[in-house]
Amino acid sequence: MRLLRPFVLSLVAFVAATIVLSPAVGAAKSIHLTYSIFFPPTHGQCLAGIEWAKEIEQLTDGKVKITVFPGGTLTKANQCYDGVVKGISDIGMSCFAYTRGRFPVMEALDLPLGYPNGLAATRAANTFYETFTPVELSDVKVLYLHAHGPGLLHTQKPVSSLAELQNMKIRSTGLSAKVVEALGAVPVAMPQGDTYESLQKGVVEGTFGPIEVLKGWRQAEVVKYTTDCNSVGYTTAMFVVMNKAKWHSLSPAIQSVFETTSHRWIDVHGQRWDQGDEEGRVYATSLGNEILQLGSDETIRWKAKVRPIIDAYISGAAAKGLDGKAYVDMLSGTIDGQQ
């Protein structure tokens, strides 16, 4: 018995040490992920992304912990996608349009197809991806997409016809610059951050963008009118993607949490875009700004003017071996079905 006593004591000590260390071992198995978001920390879309991350943490009982880096602090907006591919961040949210030419299929989403609101645009974006699953996104795991409400015209003088818009200097970038040019105005490229001062100083006479910018960027203070031209409303599609190797390293149970939560967050983002638009509308009218509606004849004229942009996309896609017409037809049908 005396010989057994040291062995028993050693066994007890080992078991006790194992129990003490087990929380540390469990903690070591926690999954820590980084999430790069280009929106500033107070923006509604960044807040929605943060809420999504917290939901993932809660539903995995804390096994997954996500650190969010807002405002492009980890990767800049135009570097976000490649940052995910290279593993600089595990997850990223930004716009396809910031790397134009990289996503020829997804560019169809941004065309002036007449998006009525952010929820419709967001749902259309996800349906589009699920339908075509373009190879250009095969180097990441796509969690979900979202898109803002229709880009509208905001000006210092009233515009309710094409004639009144001719030769006006309008702040616009990317695809919206093509829309401005097609409508007969003069596009002036500049970031949103410079728009307020440029409108104030008369460098430009108006700007194109979702109505949420009137409050979010305070632009209602330096314009007086908004032309509700959503019949030619474009959107900007945005991605939430994960590094593919990181995705495959997750257990099936955790992958399921990501997928079900992401599916729910599609409408969260779409509704948040619409909330921002409504707040922009209310803020603008509280300052005495007017919302102008296009007449039926003008609506037809505006749509005819931007149609060459859509046709050019279709022919350009065909030159790359892509079925641009199928993309446009699918999106148009989805938009019509939601109105």
Side-chain angles (χ1 to χ4, degrees):
M1 292 296 291
R2 288 179 180 176
L3 291 174
L4 286 173
R5 187 176 181 183
F7 171 75
V8 171
L9 291 173
S10 297
L11 181 60
V12 170
F14 173 77
V15 171
T18 301
I19 294 172
V20 170
L21 289 173
S22 60
V25 172
K29 292 182 179 179
S30 295
I31 300 165
H32 293 267
L33 304 175
T34 56
Y35 187 1
S36 177
I37 299 179
F38 84 102
F39 287 108
T42 57
H43 194 285
Q45 296 304 315
C46 182
L47 295 175
I50 292 170
E51 292 163 14
W52 171 87
K54 289 179 179 177
E55 183 82 355
I56 296 289
E57 292 183 13
Q58 291 173 0
L59 292 175
T60 59
D61 295 323
K63 292 175 185 175
V64 175
K65 299 184 184 300
I66 302 174
T67 302
V68 176
F69 294 85
T73 53
L74 184 56
T75 52
K76 300 298 182 185
N78 63 344
Q79 300 169 336
C80 185
Y81 186 89
D82 280 335
V84 172
V85 173
K86 296 174 182 177
I88 298 172
S89 70
D90 299 307
I91 308 166
M93 180 197 295
S94 190
C95 303
F96 291 110
Y98 286 148
T99 46
R100 291 197 72 80
R102 173 78 177 271
F103 307 103
V105 176
M106 302 308 289
E107 282 180 14
L109 290 167
D110 292 1
L111 292 168
L113 296 172
Y115 292 96
N117 53 59
L119 182 58
T122 294
R123 287 177 174 174
N126 285 277
T127 301
F128 180 83
Y129 173 75
E130 291 164 7
T131 301
F132 296 107
T133 55
V135 68
E136 64 201 42
L137 293 173
S138 62
D139 49 2
V140 295
K141 166 62 180 178
V142 176
L143 295 170
Y144 62 96
L145 310 177
H146 61 97
H148 67 62
L152 304 179
L153 177 64
H154 315 288
T155 54
Q156 294 171 331
K157 65 180 185 179
V159 174
S160 54
S161 69
L162 285 174
E164 292 170 335
L165 181 59
Q166 298 309 293
N167 298 317
M168 286 181 65
K169 294 178 293 183
I170 306 296
R171 175 265 172 199
S172 51
T173 57
L175 182 79
S176 65
K178 293 183 179 180
V179 174
V180 167
E181 191 170 24
L183 294 174
V186 179
V188 180
M190 69 178 65
Q192 285 287 10
D194 295 342
T195 304
Y196 185 100
E197 185 176 0
S198 295
L199 284 164
Q200 191 176 46
K201 293 183 175 180
V203 175
V204 293
E205 301 164 86
T207 179
F208 245 107
I211 201 168
E212 63 103 9
V213 301
L214 296 185
K215 182 178 181 182
W217 296 88
R218 295 174 40 235
Q219 291 171 13
E221 299 172 10
V222 285
V223 297
K224 293 297 180 184
Y225 302 91
T226 291
T227 304
D228 192 347
C229 52
N230 65 36
S231 59
V232 297
Y234 68 92
T235 191
T236 301
M238 299 163 215
F239 56 78
V240 179
V241 298
M242 180 183 283
N243 176 273
K244 206 163 189 179
K246 184 65 69 173
W247 171 255
H248 288 307
S249 74
L250 303 177
S251 70
I254 289 178
Q255 286 181 346
S256 179
V257 170
F258 271 93
E259 289 187 324
T260 55
T261 305
S262 295
H263 183 74
R264 288 200 311 275
W265 246 250
I266 290 170
D267 278 9
V268 170
H269 281 271
Q271 290 162 356
R272 197 66 58 86
W273 277 118
D274 289 343
Q275 178 184 336
D277 279 355
E278 180 58 23
E279 290 173 356
R281 186 180 295 267
V282 170
Y283 180 66
T285 54
S286 75
L287 297 179
N289 289 12
E290 292 185 46
I291 311 294
L292 306 175
Q293 303 294 329
L294 292 180
S296 57
D297 289 344
E298 277 299 319
T299 295
I300 293 170
R301 293 188 188 100
W302 288 49
K303 289 180 72 173
K305 286 290 185 181
V306 302
R307 182 66 207 190
I309 298 173
I310 300 169
D311 292 337
Y313 170 79
I314 292 173
S315 60
K320 298 172 184 175
L322 302 172
D323 194 349
K325 185 177 185 303
Y327 305 155
V328 169
D329 288 347
M330 179 268 165
L331 284 170
S332 297
T334 300
I335 293 167
D336 290 342
Q338 294 188 66
Q339 293 193 35

